[in-house]
Amino acid sequence: MMAEFCLDCFNKISKTNYTERDFILSDELDLCEECGEWKQVIIVQRRGRFAAFLRDTIYRFLRG
């Protein structure tokens, strides 16, 4: 099982400056395990534009 972090906490922990465009975030609010706030959490990191588009489309279609 993977830890669930919001984008802000992930950037703080990993000392990076990623944006929302670099990740697929959850549709619903979830509890961030670092800050303890209800926010969108990271699901997966995008790899490439076309692959990310396909993954987003399929993921959202399957989630209904």
Side-chain angles (χ1 to χ4, degrees), residues 9-46:
C9 289
F10 182 81
N11 279 329
K12 182 176 72 174
I13 293 168
S14 60
K15 297 179 182 161
T16 55
N17 194 22
Y18 288 115
T19 66
E20 290 182 9
R21 298 185 87 181
D22 298 313
F23 293 96
I24 296 175
L25 301 176
S26 63
D27 290 332
E28 298 177 9
L29 300 180
D30 206 340
L31 188 64
C32 173
E33 294 182 20
E34 177 69 18
C35 66
E37 294 182 27
W38 290 92
K39 296 182 175 181
Q40 289 181 305
V41 295
I42 295 172
I43 295 177
V44 68
Q45 184 174 12
R46 296 180 193 266

